[in-house]
mmCIF file of all heavy atoms in Angstrom:
data_model
loop_
_atom_site.group_PDB
_atom_site.id
_atom_site.type_symbol
_atom_site.label_atom_id
_atom_site.label_comp_id
_atom_site.label_asym_id
_atom_site.label_seq_id
_atom_site.Cartn_x
_atom_site.Cartn_y
_atom_site.Cartn_z
ATOM 1 N N ARG O 220 -23.005 36.101 29.010
ATOM 2 C CA ARG O 220 -23.695 36.746 27.881
ATOM 3 C C ARG O 220 -24.322 38.049 28.346
ATOM 4 O O ARG O 220 -25.416 38.058 28.891
ATOM 5 C CB ARG O 220 -24.782 35.824 27.325
ATOM 6 C CG ARG O 220 -24.233 34.610 26.638
ATOM 7 C CD ARG O 220 -25.306 33.929 25.822
ATOM 8 N NE ARG O 220 -26.288 33.247 26.654
ATOM 9 C CZ ARG O 220 -26.152 32.015 27.106
ATOM 10 N NH1 ARG O 220 -25.051 31.331 26.821
ATOM 11 N NH2 ARG O 220 -27.094 31.467 27.830
ATOM 12 N N TYR O 221 -23.594 39.124 28.130
ATOM 13 C CA TYR O 221 -24.175 40.411 28.448
ATOM 14 C C TYR O 221 -23.703 41.419 27.416
ATOM 15 O O TYR O 221 -22.741 41.184 26.692
ATOM 16 C CB TYR O 221 -23.813 40.909 29.847
ATOM 17 C CG TYR O 221 -22.486 40.430 30.377
ATOM 18 C CD1 TYR O 221 -21.315 40.553 29.629
ATOM 19 C CD2 TYR O 221 -22.408 39.841 31.626
ATOM 20 C CE1 TYR O 221 -20.114 40.109 30.136
ATOM 21 C CE2 TYR O 221 -21.197 39.397 32.128
ATOM 22 C CZ TYR O 221 -20.069 39.536 31.380
ATOM 23 O OH TYR O 221 -18.872 39.095 31.878
ATOM 24 N N GLY O 222 -24.404 42.525 27.379
ATOM 25 C CA GLY O 222 -24.045 43.563 26.426
ATOM 26 C C GLY O 222 -22.749 44.232 26.836
ATOM 27 O O GLY O 222 -22.302 44.124 27.981
ATOM 28 N N ARG O 223 -22.138 44.913 25.884
ATOM 29 C CA ARG O 223 -20.863 45.567 26.127
ATOM 30 C C ARG O 223 -20.963 46.552 27.292
ATOM 31 O O ARG O 223 -20.041 46.669 28.102
ATOM 32 C CB ARG O 223 -20.434 46.299 24.844
ATOM 33 C CG ARG O 223 -18.966 46.578 24.734
ATOM 34 C CD ARG O 223 -18.601 46.931 23.312
ATOM 35 N NE ARG O 223 -18.098 45.779 22.556
ATOM 36 C CZ ARG O 223 -16.836 45.394 22.533
ATOM 37 N NH1 ARG O 223 -15.927 46.046 23.220
ATOM 38 N NH2 ARG O 223 -16.455 44.354 21.827
ATOM 39 N N GLU O 224 -22.124 47.235 27.390
ATOM 40 C CA GLU O 224 -22.271 48.249 28.436
ATOM 41 C C GLU O 224 -22.413 47.615 29.833
ATOM 42 O O GLU O 224 -22.080 48.241 30.832
ATOM 43 C CB GLU O 224 -23.453 49.191 28.130
ATOM 44 C CG GLU O 224 -24.834 48.561 27.961
ATOM 45 C CD GLU O 224 -24.975 47.677 26.711
ATOM 46 O OE1 GLU O 224 -24.162 47.807 25.767
ATOM 47 O OE2 GLU O 224 -25.880 46.842 26.703
ATOM 48 N N GLN O 225 -22.867 46.322 29.898
ATOM 49 C CA GLN O 225 -23.031 45.703 31.223
ATOM 50 C C GLN O 225 -21.801 44.906 31.655
ATOM 51 O O GLN O 225 -21.683 44.524 32.818
ATOM 52 C CB GLN O 225 -24.219 44.717 31.210
ATOM 53 C CG GLN O 225 -25.555 45.393 30.953
ATOM 54 C CD GLN O 225 -26.465 44.524 30.076
ATOM 55 O OE1 GLN O 225 -25.978 43.732 29.278
ATOM 56 N NE2 GLN O 225 -27.762 44.698 30.224
ATOM 57 N N ALA O 226 -20.913 44.595 30.734
ATOM 58 C CA ALA O 226 -19.776 43.729 31.052
ATOM 59 C C ALA O 226 -18.845 44.420 32.046
ATOM 60 O O ALA O 226 -18.671 45.635 31.988
ATOM 61 C CB ALA O 226 -19.000 43.405 29.777
ATOM 62 N N PRO O 227 -18.270 43.623 32.967
ATOM 63 C CA PRO O 227 -17.263 44.219 33.849
ATOM 64 C C PRO O 227 -16.168 44.871 33.018
ATOM 65 O O PRO O 227 -15.809 44.386 31.943
ATOM 66 C CB PRO O 227 -16.713 43.011 34.611
ATOM 67 C CG PRO O 227 -17.780 41.973 34.513
ATOM 68 C CD PRO O 227 -18.478 42.210 33.203
ATOM 69 N N ARG O 228 -15.664 45.973 33.509
ATOM 70 C CA ARG O 228 -14.663 46.746 32.786
ATOM 71 C C ARG O 228 -13.497 45.869 32.327
ATOM 72 O O ARG O 228 -12.962 45.097 33.106
ATOM 73 C CB ARG O 228 -14.141 47.844 33.724
ATOM 74 C CG ARG O 228 -13.518 49.005 33.037
ATOM 75 C CD ARG O 228 -13.113 50.050 34.081
ATOM 76 N NE ARG O 228 -11.748 50.509 33.861
ATOM 77 C CZ ARG O 228 -11.398 51.271 32.847
ATOM 78 N NH1 ARG O 228 -12.289 51.666 31.989
ATOM 79 N NH2 ARG O 228 -10.142 51.652 32.699
ATOM 80 N N PHE O 231 -13.796 42.618 27.655
ATOM 81 C CA PHE O 231 -13.673 42.332 26.220
ATOM 82 C C PHE O 231 -12.202 42.344 25.794
ATOM 83 O O PHE O 231 -11.901 42.260 24.609
ATOM 84 C CB PHE O 231 -14.495 43.323 25.390
ATOM 85 C CG PHE O 231 -15.977 43.044 25.442
ATOM 86 C CD1 PHE O 231 -16.770 43.636 26.409
ATOM 87 C CD2 PHE O 231 -16.562 42.157 24.550
ATOM 88 C CE1 PHE O 231 -18.136 43.374 26.467
ATOM 89 C CE2 PHE O 231 -17.920 41.878 24.599
ATOM 90 C CZ PHE O 231 -18.713 42.488 25.564
#
Side-chain angles (χ1 to χ4, degrees):
R220 291 194 288 274
Y221 29 51
R223 202 164 264 273
E224 58 293 341
Q225 296 142 332
R228 202 177 132 71
F231 285 91

